[in-house]
Amino acid sequence: SISSKNYQFDLVSKDLNSFSFYFNYNKLNKIKLVLNNQNNNNNNNDNILLSLSGRLENGKSFRQNNLTKNLQEFEFENLGFGHYFLRLINKEYNITPNSIEIDLSSAKLSEGQESLSPEVRFEISKIGYSIFGSVQNNFGEGEKDLVIEAVPKGSESGAVKETATSDNLGKFRIKALTPGIQYEISITNASKTAANIIDFSPNAHNISMATATDVHNINFVSIRPKKTATLTGHINFSVAKNAQTKKNLKKFNERINSDNNHNINSNLNSEEKNLINFFRRKIKVEILSEDNRVEKTVVEEGEFGDWWEVEVERGGKRRVRVEGRGEGGWEIRV
């Protein structure tokens, strides 16, 4: 195939023996669109959807959508011969006419003329305005896919409810709001439930579109559950299984706390030796994920009586593993 900007090539015949190819070519057409902005504004937030469709003389169909880069003019280029239909769409503008048929048939060519380049004009005037805002959660992250609605207050106004959906950054724009109307801006309960959000702050904004201007910085904060959970433990022990053991343990505590006893190891009985070995153990505490991977090592060399605390991500189950065991059947518990 052959392609070139501003020209269309159609294969007529070919001779593979001589590697010869024969084409017809036509210079392509263009349409210049001119917008007469009656408000004399060129709002960078505004653009108009231009929907161009057509049936070409070669039997093919054509469809193209564009957004105006400004509110003044636009050009459709590289258009084949045929009949086209152009429609302009923006809810915030009154557009006259809002659609038009354009004849780009080859029969309209004058003698010596290769292409057509008609100019079409539209009158536009702004009749609606927007509210801009954002939704961020209590961790500073944007909330996407939330439905924000603007409900007019007072049924006699004739205004209708308008909605918007927040983007990946949590930003939203509610379009086509009527000047002079007061609206309540809120996030739907369905969005709140679907996103597992506890609440919003504030629950709603009351906004008056008193003047013919857009309104900015209408923001919400979503309250979400804390992303982490705090696990807290105490390295403790339980050895007193009967009255005699309790009695021995009491005596042991008295002896080990005596400031005058420097040779306590030589005077310990077997049960007390087990106890002192138990107290000298270094304890390791680990948090394991559901698939038994070590997620965090909380304590590397803990001692009895120590407290520990760790933050873990919410979701799923965790297991606490403790390494270290005293002699004589002493068991470490967390």
Side-chain angles (χ1 to χ4, degrees):
S1 63
I2 299 177
S3 63
S4 176
K5 187 177 180 181
N6 300 324
Y7 284 88
Q8 175 182 309
F9 294 86
D10 296 312
L11 179 65
V12 176
S13 63
K14 59 185 177 181
D15 184 349
L16 295 180
N17 292 325
S18 62
F19 295 99
S20 299
F21 299 86
Y22 301 90
F23 293 87
N24 284 334
Y25 73 93
N26 294 298
K27 188 173 183 179
L28 294 171
N29 309 292
K30 66 180 180 180
I31 298 172
K32 183 176 182 180
L33 169 71
V34 177
L35 301 175
N36 181 18
N37 189 346
Q38 297 180 359
N39 300 92
N40 293 319
N41 71 311
N42 189 18
N43 193 331
N44 291 330
N45 294 316
D46 288 350
N47 45 52
I48 294 176
L49 174 64
L50 310 175
S51 178
L52 182 66
S53 59
R55 175 65 62 178
L56 306 183
E57 291 181 355
N58 61 11
K60 296 181 180 180
S61 59
F62 176 92
R63 181 174 295 276
Q64 186 180 103
N65 290 325
N66 291 278
L67 290 173
T68 57
K69 295 180 180 179
N70 55 53
L71 295 178
Q72 296 175 352
E73 59 185 31
F74 186 88
E75 279 195 357
F76 292 94
E77 298 181 316
N78 302 323
L79 302 175
F81 289 103
H83 287 82
Y84 291 86
F85 180 81
L86 175 61
R87 185 182 179 196
L88 279 63
I89 305 169
N90 187 310
K91 292 174 65 176
E92 293 191 347
Y93 282 83
N94 183 38
I95 303 171
T96 307
N98 63 357
S99 62
I100 190 173
E101 292 186 14
I102 304 170
D103 186 2
L104 292 182
S105 60
S106 57
K108 293 183 69 67
L109 288 172
S110 302
E111 185 177 353
Q113 188 179 15
E114 289 187 301
S115 64
L116 300 169
S117 54
E119 181 177 285
V120 293
R121 292 180 171 270
F122 293 83
E123 302 287 330
I124 64 171
S125 59
K126 193 166 177 66
I127 57 173
Y129 295 85
S130 296
I131 284 178
F132 294 82
S134 67
V135 187
Q136 290 192 325
N137 62 30
N138 46 317
F139 306 108
E141 303 163 334
E143 293 278 15
K144 65 177 183 178
D145 297 332
L146 297 180
V147 178
I148 302 95
E149 59 183 12
V151 179
K153 304 185 78 172
S155 57
E156 70 281 357
S157 67
V160 297
K161 178 177 73 174
E162 300 290 347
T163 62
T165 302
S166 58
D167 63 16
N168 289 337
L169 299 177
K171 296 181 179 180
F172 65 86
R173 176 185 182 179
I174 307 177
K175 299 180 179 180
L177 302 180
T178 305
I181 301 299
Q182 186 169 2
Y183 290 87
E184 182 178 271
I185 314 300
S186 62
I187 303 171
T188 64
N189 286 327
S191 290
K192 175 180 174 181
T193 302
N196 191 31
I197 292 172
I198 298 174
D199 208 349
F200 293 101
S201 178
N203 289 321
H205 289 277
N206 289 310
I207 303 299
S208 176
M209 305 298 290
T211 59
T213 56
D214 294 333
V215 177
H216 295 263
N217 298 320
I218 304 304
N219 303 321
F220 294 87
V221 175
S222 62
I223 310 302
R224 284 190 172 275
K226 190 178 179 182
K227 290 185 176 183
T228 59
T230 303
L231 300 180
T232 303
H234 182 214
I235 302 175
N236 209 339
F237 65 93
S238 176
V239 297
K241 298 181 180 179
N242 53 55
Q244 183 60 44
T245 303
K246 291 180 181 179
K247 184 177 180 180
N248 292 341
L249 181 59
K250 182 179 180 181
K251 290 181 179 179
F252 170 75
N253 286 333
E254 291 174 354
R255 294 175 66 186
I256 205 169
N257 289 326
S258 172
D259 292 336
N260 298 323
N261 194 342
H262 300 292
N263 299 312
I264 190 168
N265 283 335
S266 61
N267 299 320
L268 293 177
N269 59 39
S270 60
E271 183 174 359
E272 291 171 339
K273 287 180 179 179
N274 286 338
L275 281 172
I276 197 65
N277 289 331
F278 173 71
F279 277 112
R280 288 173 175 171
R281 301 291 292 187
K282 294 298 183 182
I283 310 303
K284 184 177 183 179
V285 181
E286 296 174 321
I287 305 299
L288 306 183
S289 60
E290 287 188 88
D291 56 359
N292 284 328
R293 290 182 298 104
V294 177
E295 191 171 300
K296 287 188 178 181
T297 298
V298 186
V299 178
E300 189 67 46
E301 292 188 344
E303 297 181 350
F304 290 96
D306 287 351
W307 284 90
W308 55 265
E309 182 176 289
V310 64
E311 296 282 328
V312 296
E313 294 289 332
R314 288 186 179 272
K317 297 179 181 179
R318 302 294 194 280
R319 191 161 64 91
V320 179
R321 181 170 67 188
V322 181
E323 293 183 357
R325 181 178 290 272
E327 298 178 11
W330 306 109
E331 185 177 295
I332 298 168
R333 299 178 182 179
V334 177

